[in-house]
Amino acid sequence: MKRHRGHKAKVYFSPDQARAAEEQGHASRAMWNLIHDWWTLLPKQQRSLAAADEAIRQGRKDLPWLGVLPAQAAQQVLKTYFQSWRNCWDGRSEEPTFKGRFRSRMAIDIPQGRDLQIVRLNRRWGRMWVPKIGHVLFRWTRDLPAGKRADKLNKVTGARLVREADGWHVVFRVRTEVPEPGSHTGLTVGIDRGIVKPLALSDGSFREHGPWLTSGEAERLRRLEKAKERKRRSRKKGEKTSNRLTRTYDQIAQLRARAKRRAVDWQHKTTTGIAQQFSRAGVEDLKITNMVKSARGTVEAPGKNVRQKAGLNRAIAGEAWGRTVNMLEYKMADRGGIVVKVPPQGTSQRCSVCGFITPGNRDSQARFTCKAEGCGHQGNADTNAACNIDHAAGLAVSGLLSLRR
């Protein structure tokens, strides 16, 4: 079967190449905004892909600064914009909006893999071609089907240059031909996601991690946040952001990016281990966006415990539960396993032994004690919830869960 994956690598530009990439990144963002204005201002009957394509061609002729963006990259911006509307119409995302200069990430598409001309120079370095920039170096951390290793079934189909806090990266789109995975023979497991215990498994084990930043890094981040607020207060309304404040923003972004890289690394290693060990993983079908909504309320009806809820929201966002499930889904599928999402109602209050449900079953955040007569089951609350999730996943696979509901 065909497998489509992305591979990310660090890119190293020369100063001139970095400036050219910056210009292309700004032009790509401006192209998106122009297409968005064109789409929203025109009547519905005049909107079409052909008309948008003609508008892009004319815009690149009339505006020289748009011409720094390669034609294929401009076409890819149009395709991405139209796809975002399709996702909106299908209910998978919100409507596309204007991309702000400081709120959006720079990205440049290279839609054709043959334009990349990837060459491996040695064990650590590779070289590729970027239109209107030239040959650039990138870190070779994984074998790519490029050069003599490429064929019709195994090849790099395209790439995207992305600027992050620690510099530019390239994300290769890799297509490979792999054999169909056989049936996984491992056990089943239920996974409860939390804050104190990031992942609690139904077999009684936990997957835990420490702080993403060391104590020194956390203290430096705290000082930078205070410096940021102090410099923002001294800045007059409408005044241009100073170089010092911009540098402080960059330093904060670099620390947060470091924490995210460590979190993603832990998630990759943890989900790989789970996918190798278990054949079926049950998880709760959580509406995370609803869980992290602010409790501030309105002027007429102000919220309660706003600061506590804000801290909980930050903790939930820091664990990135959705990203963990996304990684687990494709890794389980690669190994012949499945991920089953079950309704979250009652998983933390139901006894995994007798099935009795009452809010009093959970004595505390970490302790579960069944109040049913003749049961008295005791154990870790997260492990009990994971057992309930595993049981519900088995019912969902067998079709009994839908009948019971």
Side-chain angles (χ1 to χ4, degrees), residues 26 29-30 35 58 74 136 170 243 269 314 357 384 401:
H26 287 306
R29 180 186 57 84
I35 295 173
Q58 188 62 38
V136 298
V170 59
N243 292 333
K269 293 176 180 177
R314 285 194 297 270
I357 301 177
N384 178 80
L401 182 63

Side-chain angles (χ1 to χ4, degrees), residues 219-234:
E219 176 62 20
R220 183 165 180 263
L221 178 61
R222 187 187 69 84
R223 291 176 180 272
L224 287 171
E225 292 283 1
K226 291 181 65 176
K228 178 194 71 173
E229 294 302 325
R230 184 172 62 252
K231 294 170 184 176
R232 286 181 61 182
R233 286 195 299 267
S234 63

Side-chain angles (χ1 to χ4, degrees), residues 236-255:
K236 297 179 181 179
K237 187 176 181 180
E239 186 179 5
K240 184 180 178 181
T241 304
S242 65
N243 292 333
R244 289 185 177 182
L245 181 55
T246 301
R247 186 164 57 251
T248 303
Y249 281 140
D250 293 340
Q251 291 171 338
I252 292 173
Q254 289 172 5
L255 279 174

